[in-house]
Amino acid sequence: MCGVTGFIDIRQNKKSYDSKKIIENMTDTLKSRGPDDKGIWIDKKNNIFFGHRRLSIIDLSHLGKQPMISHNKRLVIIFNGEIYNFLDLKKDLLKENINFIGNSDTEVLIEAVSNWGIKKTLSKISGMFSFVIWDKKKKNLYLARDRLGIKPLYYSFFNGIFFFGSQ
């Protein structure tokens, strides 16, 4: 069990709050979901902020650290859950000359989205999951969870700020 959280501020006016401190506090509230590691990612230009708490299960090394950026630097992901068929997906991606630096299902997931797109990837993956992806090029934010809703993903839009999190 990991924890994901974040927000995107779509207001055009200047902010009067410490966004880094807010995402750090939001991330710290998820400590019980991921005691092994934590990370934040900030894109001040687009006012988007990701936080992640990690419970290391599949890849115990630092190579599974999140938020994770795709190899082409286009996508950023925060992920909670397990992709059951990630080894099969990894084999398919290796056939397409995609190389991996670690052994996490998160890396396979973000590289799948990077190469196949969000819709095709969602049709191929099997597991229990919730994740958030920011596409830096298209400036799109994707939120997804497994078909049965085993892994929670909550969101709210309030005063021009879109908040999301796993609890």
Side-chain angles (χ1 to χ4, degrees):
M1 171 172 62
C2 294
V4 300
T5 191
F7 63 97
I8 183 168
D9 187 340
I10 63 169
R11 298 174 299 175
Q12 299 299 316
N13 58 343
K14 300 243 182 215
K15 293 177 290 306
S16 61
Y17 57 86
D18 183 350
S19 52
K20 183 176 183 201
K21 186 67 174 164
I22 290 172
I23 193 61
E24 287 174 347
N25 289 341
M26 290 171 67
T27 304
D28 286 345
T29 65
L30 301 174
K31 185 174 183 174
S32 65
R33 295 183 64 90
D36 296 330
D37 197 9
K38 74 175 182 176
I40 61 169
W41 177 83
I42 297 172
D43 178 346
K44 286 188 177 183
K45 180 180 175 187
N46 293 295
N47 297 321
I48 186 159
F49 308 87
F50 280 6
H52 186 266
R53 291 299 306 214
R54 183 175 182 210
L55 177 64
S56 303
I57 296 175
I58 293 179
D59 185 344
L60 305 179
S61 77
H62 71 280
L63 298 174
K65 185 171 179 62
Q66 296 182 50
M68 185 179 286
I69 299 173
S70 62
H71 296 171
N72 64 10
K73 309 288 188 224
R74 179 177 171 175
L75 304 176
V76 181
I77 189 171
I78 47 178
F79 169 69
N80 171 34
E82 183 179 353
I83 305 299
Y84 302 144
N85 62 335
F86 83 98
L87 290 174
D88 293 330
L89 298 172
K90 186 174 185 176
K91 286 179 190 175
D92 293 344
L93 289 163
L94 286 167
K95 290 175 189 172
E96 296 181 26
N97 296 318
I98 305 305
N99 295 312
F100 294 88
I101 59 171
N103 297 303
S104 72
D105 52 352
T106 307
E107 184 181 14
V108 171
L109 177 58
I110 195 168
E111 293 307 320
V113 173
S114 180
N115 288 279
W116 298 329
I118 192 79
K119 287 182 182 180
K120 184 174 180 181
T121 299
L122 285 171
S123 73
K124 287 178 163 265
I125 61 176
S126 172
M128 56 177 185
F129 58 86
S130 63
F131 63 83
V132 180
I133 292 179
W134 173 247
D135 184 328
K136 295 180 191 180
K137 184 177 178 182
K138 290 184 177 179
K139 307 230 183 303
N140 285 338
L141 183 69
Y142 301 98
L143 282 75
R145 70 175 194 182
D146 60 85
R147 292 157 189 84
L148 298 177
I150 296 169
K151 291 296 181 181
L153 185 59
Y154 302 99
Y155 59 90
S156 176
F157 190 71
F158 182 73
N159 286 341
I161 303 174
F162 182 72
F163 297 94
F164 46 88
S166 55
Q167 81 180 40

